[in-house]
Amino acid sequence: RLRNDFAALQRKQMQRLEKERDGSTTEDDAVLADNKLYVMKLDNQTGDMKQRVEDVKMRLMCEMKLRHQATEEGKLLRAEVTQKKMQAQLDRAKYKQPSKFKK
C-alpha cells in the first residue's frame, strides 16, 4: 500500500516539475513543499519496513538453523541410545549363557 502511494506521489511530483519547467505552474510552493515532505516521509517508511523485513528474515534463518541442528542432534542421540540398548542386550545374553564346564 505504501509503495502504491509513494509511486502515485512520485508521478504527481514529476508532472508538477514538468509543468514548472514548461512555465505553467498552477500550485503554490507551500503545497509543493508539503508534497515533497510527504514523499520523503513515505520513502523513509518504506525503508524502515524493508529493514524490519530483513531483520525478521535474519531471525527466521537463525531459528531454522537452530531447529535443524536440534533435529540432527536428536537423531544422533536416538541412534546412540539404540546402539547402547543393543550392546546391553548382547552383554546380558553373554552373561546368561550356561557355562560349558558344569560339574
Side-chain angles (χ1 to χ4, degrees):
R1 186 180 134 253
L2 288 174
R3 187 179 295 167
N4 291 337
D5 290 345
F6 183 69
L9 285 172
Q10 277 185 325
R11 282 192 299 273
K12 287 179 184 178
Q13 188 67 27
M14 291 303 292
Q15 289 172 354
R16 286 183 192 120
L17 290 173
E18 288 174 2
K19 285 180 183 178
E20 279 183 19
R21 191 176 349 141
D22 295 340
S24 59
T25 304
T26 57
E27 296 185 3
D28 59 352
D29 291 337
V31 173
L32 188 61
D34 287 342
N35 287 337
K36 285 181 183 179
L37 289 174
Y38 186 67
V39 168
M40 288 172 49
K41 178 182 173 186
L42 285 177
D43 190 34
N44 287 336
Q45 287 177 347
T46 54
D48 291 343
M49 290 290 222
K50 286 179 185 178
Q51 184 62 42
R52 288 171 53 191
V53 167
E54 288 300 317
D55 291 344
V56 169
K57 281 182 183 179
M58 290 299 292
R59 281 188 299 211
L60 180 62
M61 290 297 294
C62 289
E63 291 293 325
M64 288 173 59
K65 286 179 183 178
L66 287 173
R67 183 177 180 183
H68 178 72
Q69 183 180 357
T71 303
E72 292 299 315
E73 287 177 5
K75 287 178 184 177
L76 288 173
L77 287 173
R78 278 193 296 274
E80 187 178 333
V81 167
T82 302
Q83 184 180 10
K84 288 190 185 240
K85 281 182 181 179
M86 290 173 51
Q87 186 63 41
Q89 287 176 351
L90 287 174
D91 289 345
R92 267 189 258 135
K94 182 178 166 183
Y95 289 117
K96 286 185 179 181
Q97 287 179 354
S99 101
K100 295 180 182 179
F101 305 107
K102 277 192 174 181
K103 291 186 180 183

